[in-house]
Amino acid sequence: MKATFYSLTLFILTLTTSFGQILTRGNVSGQVGTVAGKPLEFATMMLVKAKDSTLVKGAISEVTGKYVFEHIGAGNYRVAAQQIGYRKIYSDAFVIDETHPAIELPTLAMTEESKNLTEVNVVAKKPFIEQQVDRTVVNVENSIVSSGNTALEVLEKAPGVTIDRQNDQIQLKGKSGVIVYIDGKQTYLSQQEVANLLKNTPSDNIATIEIITNPGSKYDAAGNSGIINIKMKKNKNFGTNGTFIVGTGYGWVNNLSGVRDDLPKFNTSLNLNHREGKVNLFGNYSYVNRQSSQSNEINRTIPFNGKTTYFDQYSFRPNTFVGHSYKAGMDYFVSKKSTVGVLVNGFSNDWRSAGINNTYISDDNHQLTSKPTTKTDARQFLSNVTGNINYKYEFDGKGREWTVDADYVHYGGKSNNNLSTIYYNNANETTRPNQDVQNNMPSTINIMAFKTDYVHPLKNGGKFEAGLKTSFVKADNNTIYDTLQQETKQWLPDASRSNQFKYDENINAAYLNYAGKLDKKTKIQMGLRAEHTHSIGTSVTLNQVVDRNYLNLFPTLFLSRQLDSTNTLNLSYSRRIDRPDYQNLNPFVFYLDPYTYQKGNPFLRPQYTNSIELTHVYKSTISTTLGFSRTTDFINRETPRQIPAENITYVTPENLGSLDNINLNVSFPVVVAKWWRMQNNVSTYYTHYQTFYSGTPYEVKLVAFNLYSSNNFTLNKTLSAELSAWYNSSSQYGFYRAQPMGAFSLGLQKKVMEGKGNIKLNVSDPFWLNKFNGRAMVQDINFRVRSQWESRRIMLTFTYRFGNQNVKTARQRNSATSAEQSRVGGQN
């Protein structure tokens, strides 16, 4: 079916090209500037029909203010220019025909807006995936098939992004170490916990997702594969206004008994904004209640003393999640130059799971010897409160400004996990007393940070930026295990498994950045960031202290060359660091069952990555990026280890040699028909691991790719549809080889209530194709993992916008704690 679809698309494109060669085509060019004669760069240029102003083609003006529309069919047209802070302007009408194939228009002189902005008409809808010069933008709020999903499921569709569902790891172009921001604030959660947070964040609250593979020096140096910034929806208008969203639906799976489980879901949110005079008040609240599940099959082979033991494990874990999140803030415009703001946001998440794990253990002759069954009852609670005070001063209204941010962040968590194991033989008879273990893990993380930034524009059009930042982190995780004594039925402390871990960290940073022009067509940006880190990890129970003190320099360089009116070439370089997640440094042991567990590693070192990318952009729509990166001391978060004498397999994070990555990404739109538009993305990458495993060289070379295509259909003025599909080829996650994965989704959207409301119906993965299948084989390690989750679901969402829908948004800003929050532990 997929081959037929692409063949049909190729056939349509071929016909379009053939007919295009017969029709009369012309070019329209000109220049846009201010009434004072200064060229305007990056103005939005629109070629419209003279009769009804219907959009024909769009363009962006160059640094010289020049623009061009090529291959335009015969007809009567006008050109419109639009730029923030200026009044929209139209050219006089003109004609393209056989006698006038090339039109050069007089300069369009734009005047500045002096007072309130007038209403802006949206001429063309943004595509789901938008390729910009320095980043890829996923326009979530424009997508029908994203409605009712989670943030993680939307991220899974983004170009170059892959999600390891088994280990909850996010990778970008084949590299782990992604730093996730939410509204410019780093989450401070570990990779696994970020994935869990995104699993339970409704996509209906998200406006856009930005993927930045080579951030500049202004950003924190953390994140070896780049930054993913999730921007939540914000209200943009004067007066009192808001948005109300409510969604419901369900998914369904078959449990271990083959019985179908229905998993209902519900979410709602309210966004409010009030802006009047010098005060802007804003806030939102979201509630999520969703049931989900995951089933795993693990097949392990453990050789020991010339014999082999076979493990076949089957688990089913239904989950219930209830989450509340909130945000409230105020901006006070003291004067035209000064603005002060306060912001408080946070969440309260409660996750529960009651699962069962059946293990079948066979001997060297594949004869069943025992059948232990482990029942788990887990509950994890995490709350967060973040406070921010910020100040902005604009010196002269020409771009010179000073900003200050001060943050305080508190995370409080509590996890409980009860495991009860019954041991059966092949005749279903109990062979030993039950093993009952309970775990309690309270945790707190407190973060204080301060940052200040200064921007100084230069007369030649360039600018200098400089900034300072300091942050302090204190984390305390206390893992307490108790074991039930079967004779007395009393719970007794288990000191061999319990551990208290404390972590203190101070990072001081400074940066200097310059952006300017080498000539009329060449831009340059270069910067240097210095970060000094002092961390102390203390295992109180083990009386073990790891003290690290180091200084690093992180240079960045960006070059952009406008080759001609349709081609731009960008070159970028950066050096980055990934510090270990707080939880990965904790040497505690977390048991899944008596034979499987994971534990931390207090001796983890930071990993460093040098990256270079070359990007070609054609007509601001087709983007091709070729990149190379090398990571040293790369952190493999799931390194498998075994204790064969006890039939135990566990995973632990370790530093493992070097990782080279070469990636090629192509993003391109296709207009199949006036009512059918496609956005396509192809990402191919080559990974090369070189390391040692238990003293023996280990090397992996692999070429993998990621495909994504979204199709938008305009059925009439109020009804539209969308079909999207993605596919990931076989890929490598450290020692794990993952088999291909893919899925598709389809949706309908109906505008109601004169455009103030819309109803979205979305069906995700209707044939339940999205499954994980992976294997690890190295020395004595040989196991296979298969995972399924309820990716198949149907969702119905209603959105209603009320109040004044006409003016501008609250300020966008990054807080002082935009770099630490992705490393916090203790949440699901």
Side-chain angles (χ1 to χ4, degrees):
M1 179 178 177
K2 184 168 65 176
T4 305
F5 173 78
Y6 282 112
S7 299
L8 177 61
T9 303
L10 182 62
F11 176 69
I12 294 173
L13 292 175
T14 304
L15 288 178
T16 304
T17 305
S18 301
F19 288 132
Q21 294 172 352
I22 300 173
L23 297 175
T24 299
R25 297 285 172 176
N27 297 333
V28 180
S29 60
Q31 189 173 15
V32 61
T34 67
V35 290
K38 180 182 177 181
L40 277 178
E41 60 180 336
F42 304 126
T44 301
M45 309 303 299
M46 294 164 285
L47 181 69
V48 299
K49 293 182 179 179
K51 181 180 180 180
D52 55 10
S53 295
T54 302
L55 179 67
V56 177
K57 203 166 189 179
I60 302 294
S61 65
E62 303 174 20
V63 293
T64 60
K66 292 183 178 180
Y67 63 89
V68 63
F69 300 99
E70 297 181 322
H71 305 295
I72 306 303
N76 298 331
Y77 302 100
R78 291 199 301 168
V79 169
Q82 186 172 302
Q83 178 74 292
I84 295 177
Y86 293 87
R87 295 182 184 276
K88 188 175 182 180
I89 188 173
Y90 286 85
S91 72
D92 294 332
F94 57 90
V95 177
I96 290 183
D97 53 26
E98 293 182 357
T99 58
H100 302 90
I103 302 295
E104 184 172 354
L105 298 175
T107 299
L108 293 174
M110 303 186 71
T111 58
E112 293 187 11
E113 284 278 5
S114 57
K115 297 183 179 180
N116 292 341
L117 296 175
T118 56
E119 181 176 356
V120 177
N121 293 319
V122 179
V123 181
K125 178 182 175 182
K126 290 183 179 180
F128 179 59
I129 295 177
E130 186 179 5
Q131 191 67 47
Q132 297 183 1
V133 173
D134 62 339
R135 66 195 62 191
T136 301
V137 179
V138 182
N139 293 300
V140 180
E141 62 183 336
N142 290 328
S143 173
I144 304 170
V145 299
S146 295
S147 183
N149 285 324
T150 68
L152 190 68
E153 289 165 335
V154 175
L155 194 58
E156 197 168 35
K157 301 174 183 178
V161 176
T162 54
I163 308 296
D164 176 5
R165 289 283 188 165
Q166 176 61 26
N167 301 304
D168 287 330
Q169 298 292 316
I170 302 172
Q171 289 198 334
L172 183 57
K173 297 181 179 178
K175 297 184 293 180
S176 59
V178 179
I179 297 298
V180 176
Y181 286 65
I182 296 180
D183 281 338
K185 295 174 179 288
Q186 198 167 341
T187 55
Y188 290 89
L189 300 173
S190 67
Q191 279 279 310
Q192 185 177 18
E193 287 132 7
V194 166
N196 286 327
L197 177 63
L198 298 181
K199 279 181 184 178
N200 298 295
T201 300
S203 62
D204 296 295
N205 293 345
I206 300 174
T208 61
I209 298 176
E210 296 180 335
I211 301 172
I212 311 170
T213 53
N214 254 359
S217 298
K218 187 174 183 178
Y219 290 91
D220 293 278
N224 83 343
S225 60
I227 291 172
I228 294 176
N229 184 26
I230 299 175
K231 291 187 174 182
M232 310 305 287
K233 289 181 179 178
K234 295 181 177 65
N235 206 286
K236 303 180 179 181
N237 310 311
F238 278 112
T240 301
N241 42 72
T243 303
F244 172 72
I245 300 173
V246 60
T248 186
Y250 75 96
W252 58 97
V253 297
N254 295 327
N255 59 31
L256 289 178
S257 301
V259 179
R260 192 178 100 168
D261 280 351
D262 293 332
L263 303 166
K265 307 170 194 304
F266 174 80
N267 66 274
T268 186
S269 65
L270 177 66
N271 295 271
L272 291 173
N273 189 82
H274 177 78
R275 182 165 182 171
E276 185 174 356
K278 293 185 175 183
V279 178
N280 183 51
L281 300 172
F282 56 92
N284 62 58
Y285 167 77
S286 298
Y287 170 78
V288 179
N289 189 324
R290 63 172 64 233
Q291 295 183 22
S292 60
S293 72
Q294 181 166 335
S295 60
N296 295 314
E297 177 184 347
I298 303 176
N299 309 111
R300 292 187 286 161
T301 302
I302 302 179
F304 181 67
N305 285 341
K307 295 184 178 180
T308 302
T309 304
Y310 298 93
F311 279 72
D312 297 305
Q313 296 173 279
Y314 304 89
S315 66
F316 181 74
R317 188 177 66 189
N319 308 311
T320 299
F321 176 85
V322 177
H324 306 264
S325 61
Y326 59 90
K327 177 186 291 186
M330 178 186 73
D331 289 328
Y332 179 69
F333 304 92
V334 182
S335 65
K336 291 183 178 180
K337 295 183 177 181
S338 295
T339 306
V340 63
V342 293
L343 176 68
V344 177
N345 64 274
F347 60 79
S348 174
N349 294 338
D350 190 353
W351 176 88
R352 301 185 183 190
S353 174
I356 186 170
N357 180 33
N358 295 325
T359 302
Y360 299 85
I361 305 176
S362 303
D363 60 19
D364 203 38
N365 297 316
H366 293 278
Q367 296 297 313
L368 183 65
T369 58
S370 63
K371 297 189 299 183
T373 297
T374 300
K375 294 182 180 180
T376 62
D377 185 5
R379 182 177 183 181
Q380 296 182 341
F381 176 81
L382 181 68
S383 63
N384 162 251
V385 177
T386 299
N388 167 263
I389 300 176
N390 55 86
Y391 176 75
K392 179 180 179 181
Y393 184 81
E394 298 182 41
F395 289 88
D396 48 20
K398 297 181 180 179
R400 189 161 68 101
E401 66 179 37
W402 173 51
T403 58
V404 179
D405 277 271
D407 281 45
Y408 172 75
V409 182
H410 172 77
Y411 286 90
K414 186 176 182 180
S415 299
N416 301 100
N417 190 20
N418 298 325
L419 294 88
S420 179
T421 303
I422 305 174
Y423 295 88
Y424 299 98
N425 59 20
N426 55 7
N428 289 327
E429 301 168 336
T430 57
T431 59
R432 52 183 287 192
N434 294 359
Q435 184 179 17
D436 294 286
V437 177
Q438 66 181 14
N439 159 249
N440 178 30
M441 190 178 74
S443 62
T444 59
I445 298 176
N446 293 298
I447 303 166
M448 290 187 294
F450 171 87
K451 78 180 182 79
T452 180
D453 300 278
Y454 174 72
V455 180
H456 188 92
L458 304 175
K459 292 182 179 180
N460 61 2
K463 66 178 179 179
F464 274 108
E465 294 178 285
L468 300 171
K469 178 183 175 182
T470 183
S471 65
F472 298 88
V473 178
K474 282 186 173 293
D476 189 347
N477 290 285
N478 193 10
T479 305
I480 304 169
Y481 274 95
D482 297 310
T483 301
L484 180 65
Q485 298 298 309
Q486 298 298 330
E487 297 83 3
T488 62
K489 299 300 179 181
Q490 291 183 334
W491 290 97
L492 298 179
D494 189 344
S496 64
R497 305 186 189 189
S498 300
N499 177 58
Q500 184 177 10
F501 180 74
K502 295 184 177 182
Y503 183 79
D504 294 88
E505 178 186 83
N506 171 224
I507 300 177
N508 297 300
Y511 76 90
L512 183 65
N513 197 73
Y514 168 76
K517 301 176 182 178
L518 297 179
D519 55 44
K520 291 183 178 181
K521 292 187 177 182
T522 307
K523 298 179 181 179
I524 185 172
Q525 177 179 308
M526 54 185 178
L528 181 65
R529 186 179 186 90
E531 293 188 354
H532 173 263
T533 304
H534 184 205
S535 65
I536 301 176
T538 304
S539 175
V540 178
T541 307
L542 302 178
N543 193 25
Q544 188 178 63
V545 178
V546 178
D547 191 330
R548 298 190 185 279
N549 198 328
Y550 51 94
L551 173 69
N552 294 122
L553 298 178
F554 301 98
T556 58
L557 176 65
F558 300 84
L559 291 170
S560 179
R561 176 74 175 178
Q562 188 81 33
L563 303 180
D564 53 37
S565 60
T566 57
N567 294 279
T568 304
L569 204 59
N570 303 309
L571 180 67
S572 62
Y573 163 79
S574 69
R575 181 175 186 258
R576 305 191 64 76
I577 185 175
D578 268 302
R579 301 176 182 89
D581 295 336
Y582 309 138
Q583 280 291 68
N584 284 338
L585 292 168
N586 189 349
F588 85 100
V589 176
F590 181 81
Y591 287 86
L592 301 177
D593 61 46
Y595 303 99
T596 314
Y597 62 82
Q598 62 183 29
K599 70 175 184 178
N601 179 3
F603 300 102
L604 278 177
R605 301 181 302 275
Q607 66 180 19
Y608 297 90
T609 301
N610 289 275
S611 299
I612 187 169
E613 287 187 348
L614 180 65
T615 301
H616 174 256
V617 182
Y618 177 70
K619 290 187 175 180
S620 300
T621 55
I622 301 176
S623 174
T624 305
T625 300
L626 177 65
F628 170 78
S629 68
R630 164 162 287 187
T631 302
T632 55
D633 263 349
F634 83 91
I635 299 173
N636 185 55
R637 292 173 172 82
E638 301 284 344
T639 303
R641 296 290 179 181
Q642 282 188 165
I643 306 175
E646 302 177 29
N647 289 329
I648 288 176
T649 300
Y650 67 94
V651 294
T652 185
E654 295 183 7
N655 293 99
L656 297 174
S658 65
L659 166 64
D660 291 339
N661 179 283
I662 301 174
N663 57 80
L664 177 65
N665 184 83
V666 181
S667 178
F668 58 97
V670 176
V671 180
V672 182
K674 185 178 180 180
W675 52 271
W676 179 6
R677 295 175 179 270
M678 298 175 61
Q679 179 67 39
N680 306 289
N681 187 273
V682 181
S683 296
T684 303
Y685 53 90
Y686 165 81
T687 54
H688 182 198
Y689 292 88
Q690 283 185 301
T691 185
F692 284 85
Y693 183 85
S694 299
T696 302
Y698 177 81
E699 184 177 22
V700 173
K701 298 178 180 179
L702 179 71
V703 175
F705 61 90
N706 166 279
L707 304 176
Y708 178 80
S709 178
S710 67
N711 299 263
N712 294 276
F713 308 94
T714 303
L715 305 181
N716 56 44
K717 291 183 179 180
T718 62
L719 186 64
S720 57
E722 184 176 331
L723 171 66
S724 69
W726 62 272
Y727 176 82
N728 294 334
S729 71
S730 296
S731 55
Q732 189 81 17
Y733 301 91
F735 296 96
Y736 303 90
R737 176 67 59 89
Q739 296 303 306
M741 300 171 61
F744 72 92
S745 302
L746 56 131
L748 284 172
Q749 175 177 261
K750 173 70 175 178
K751 294 181 179 180
V752 295
M753 306 172 72
E754 298 180 346
K756 291 184 177 181
N758 68 64
I759 300 173
K760 295 179 182 179
L761 178 67
N762 173 40
V763 180
S764 300
D765 194 14
F767 297 118
W768 210 8
L769 302 175
N770 192 7
K771 304 173 183 179
F772 178 86
N773 189 345
R775 187 168 189 173
M777 294 184 66
V778 53
Q779 294 186 20
D780 63 336
I781 300 291
N782 182 359
F783 68 87
R784 182 187 299 274
V785 178
R786 298 178 181 87
S787 296
Q788 287 182 280
W789 52 95
E790 43 89 46
S791 58
R792 176 181 54 182
R793 68 175 68 94
I794 184 169
M795 297 294 299
L796 182 66
T797 304
F798 171 72
T799 302
Y800 176 68
R801 295 181 298 276
F802 57 89
N804 187 347
Q805 300 293 318
N806 290 321
V807 194
K808 73 181 188 180
T809 183
R811 294 184 299 134
Q812 303 284 330
R813 55 186 177 273
N814 292 342
S815 74
T817 51
S818 293
E820 289 76 15
Q821 292 200 51
S822 71
R823 298 165 56 214
V824 169
Q827 108 83 23
N828 266 296

